[in-house]
Amino acid sequence: MLNEQINTHCRMTRAVVDQLGFVVNAYDARKGVVTRSFYDGWNELTTPGVLATLKDSMEGREASDYQVPLLEHAPDSDQANVMRALAKELAA
């Protein structure tokens, strides 16, 4: 659905958007069947695909609440490590 919205917006505005992929943020499988089905659907996408999944975590919520960048608030967290790995992959 999000991909369709992006494509529709691009057609309507004649904008050109390069899509590298999606990053699933604050994912928690315990949030129910709907959340898991959306996640499964995103992972089935191939163009663009899912580049990374950031699990729901206390560090991520705190960084958001305090309005502090995650890499500054919790530089050693799992989310920060996923972000670094993604940045390295995209820079290559």
Side-chain angles (χ1 to χ4, degrees):
M1 185 166 123
L2 176 60
N3 197 32
E4 291 173 20
Q5 291 174 339
I6 293 169
N7 291 334
T8 299
H9 179 73
C10 288
R11 282 193 305 275
M12 291 173 57
T13 62
R14 297 184 186 158
V16 176
V17 176
D18 292 328
Q19 294 185 50
L20 301 174
F22 293 103
V23 174
V24 179
N25 189 26
Y27 175 71
D28 186 349
R30 299 172 297 175
K31 290 185 178 176
V33 174
V34 173
T35 300
R36 284 191 304 272
S37 66
F38 275 123
Y39 182 71
D40 292 341
W42 294 325
N43 279 307
E44 290 173 7
L45 293 174
T46 55
T47 308
V50 173
L51 297 175
T53 299
L54 299 172
K55 305 287 185 183
D56 191 14
S57 71
M58 179 181 62
E59 295 89 358
R61 289 189 304 275
E62 287 176 346
S64 178
D65 290 345
Y66 302 143
Q67 297 180 353
V68 176
L70 177 69
L71 294 172
E72 180 182 325
H73 176 71
D76 297 325
S77 68
D78 288 340
Q79 284 185 330
N81 291 330
V82 170
M83 288 182 174
R84 281 191 203 91
L86 181 59
K88 286 178 185 177
E89 183 178 330
L90 294 174

